[in-house]
Amino acid sequence: MTDMIKLSNVHKSFGPKHVLKGVDLSVEKGSSLVVIGGSGSGKSVMMKSILGLLTPEKGEIEINGFPTVGLKGGKRDLVNRQFGMLFQNGALFDSLPVWQNVSFAAMQGNNMPADEAYELAKESLALVGLGENILNLYPASLSGGMHKRVGLARAIATRPPIIFFDEPTTGLDPIMTDVINHLIRDCVNELGATTMTITHDMSSVRTIGDKAALLYQGKIIWTGNVDSLDQSDDPFLVQFVNGLADGPIEISGA
Ligand SMILES: Nc1ncnc2c1ncn2[C@@H]1O[C@H](COP(=O)(O)OP(=O)(O)OP(=O)(O)O)[C@@H](O)[C@H]1O
């Protein structure tokens, strides 16, 4: 199987703080990997490094076999055009109506004319279960669940081969969490995309992911199928998956 995302010995520090200490991780084409790990373990730093927002000091990050560390300008844009992203807070532009939010990347990056962009927004919203009635609404008038759906519609609008989800269910009630998790799973299946999700939410791990990886103290210390999460006797994984205070994981600031 081809690796769509591959990290090899990735290191990232901020001054004396060594956050990523040799991360090795790969995501096969069409697979959904969920990265779990405690607060401050480096999940966001890892995702930002893949997106090119941070530059690792050492190691390589390949996207579909193409080395990307240090790429800038047009070359980086070409790589990032393969990405869709659902941000933790939705990150919608308050001053733009829903349809322009959804089609933003298509209009900016691909110079899509407004009438086509409007149709694209309509189709993308339909994929996440939203109707035409919200196309001209502004983000401030959307509920939390609708906000997430619009963010998801935007993430998939350009039909990207790779989609990143950053804490996709933060701030949602348990029922809406389940709805969004299933919606993500269904959209990803429909598009055949490769995905990477970072989350603390074990329901997201089980619904969205087919593979999981545990990041601890700057390294991936466990990877496996989501189905095998409960069968593992790895003490770090058992502690994290079951949310136990006692175990080998050092809890800072407790
Ligand atoms: N730009 C930065 N400058 C300095 N330190 C940073 C920077 N970005 C992240 N860090 C540090 O790197 C460490 C890992 O942060 P990161 O946000 O990746 O954690 P996380 O695993 O995503 O945590 P959470 O689950 O709480 O979001 C933290 O100690 C954080 O303070």
Side-chain angles (χ1 to χ4, degrees):
M1 260 299 204
T2 323
D3 286 329
M4 280 298 262
I5 307 170
K6 184 170 165 58
L7 284 75
S8 312
N9 194 28
V10 171
H11 289 254
K12 178 67 194 169
S13 300
F14 300 97
K17 189 168 204 170
H18 198 174
V19 177
L20 302 182
K21 300 177 183 169
V23 171
D24 291 308
L25 187 63
S26 50
V27 192
E28 288 173 357
K29 189 170 187 204
S31 164
S32 287
L33 175 83
V34 182
V35 180
I36 52 179
S39 290
S41 59
K43 301 181 297 298
S44 299
V45 168
M46 188 181 82
M47 192 175 268
K48 285 178 184 167
S49 299
I50 300 170
L51 293 167
L53 301 171
L54 292 172
T55 307
E57 294 87 39
K58 195 172 158 197
E60 192 49 85
I61 299 174
E62 289 168 51
I63 301 298
N64 206 3
F66 188 71
T68 63
V69 171
L71 284 185
K72 297 210 167 16
K75 286 186 178 162
R76 171 48 71 180
D77 290 346
L78 277 180
V79 171
N80 285 14
R81 254 181 230 178
Q82 301 175 70
F83 299 160
M85 173 90 205
L86 176 60
F87 295 94
Q88 190 173 139
N89 58 5
L92 301 180
F93 298 111
D94 289 337
S95 59
L96 298 179
V98 163
W99 76 269
Q100 285 188 34
N101 263 292
V102 172
S103 294
F104 190 80
M107 292 174 83
Q108 298 295 313
N110 305 340
N111 294 319
M112 184 178 274
D115 54 344
E116 279 179 42
Y118 192 81
E119 287 305 311
L120 178 68
K122 212 192 286 184
E123 284 167 25
S124 303
L125 288 169
L127 271 176
V128 301
L130 291 174
E132 297 178 27
N133 54 323
I134 74 149
L135 280 162
N136 292 305
L137 297 181
Y138 283 81
S141 59
L142 303 176
S143 67
M146 277 165 113
H147 216 269
K148 291 279 185 193
R149 283 179 195 242
V150 172
L152 179 58
R154 181 171 68 180
I156 63 174
T158 58
R159 308 297 186 262
I162 302 171
I163 312 177
F164 296 94
F165 298 102
D166 179 11
E167 301 280 0
T169 57
T170 299
L172 298 177
D173 68 50
I175 294 171
M176 192 50 75
T177 292
D178 195 46
V179 168
I180 295 296
N181 281 336
H182 280 92
L183 198 51
I184 289 175
R185 180 85 230 184
D186 292 347
C187 285
V188 166
N189 284 346
E190 171 95 15
L191 299 180
T194 305
T195 73
M196 181 185 277
T197 303
I198 56 180
T199 185
H200 294 121
D201 179 356
M202 289 310 297
S203 70
S204 295
V205 176
R206 293 178 203 283
T207 310
I208 300 174
D210 35 52
K211 293 262 168 60
L214 176 61
L215 184 62
Y216 179 62
Q217 294 192 340
K219 289 191 175 192
I220 298 293
I221 60 165
W222 184 92
T223 52
N225 289 333
V226 164
D227 295 347
S228 67
L229 277 172
D230 296 317
Q231 278 94 55
S232 171
D233 54 9
D234 181 291
F236 289 89
L237 191 69
V238 168
Q239 186 184 357
F240 193 87
V241 166
N242 296 293
L244 306 174
D246 291 332
I249 294 177
E250 286 173 26
I251 303 163
S252 56

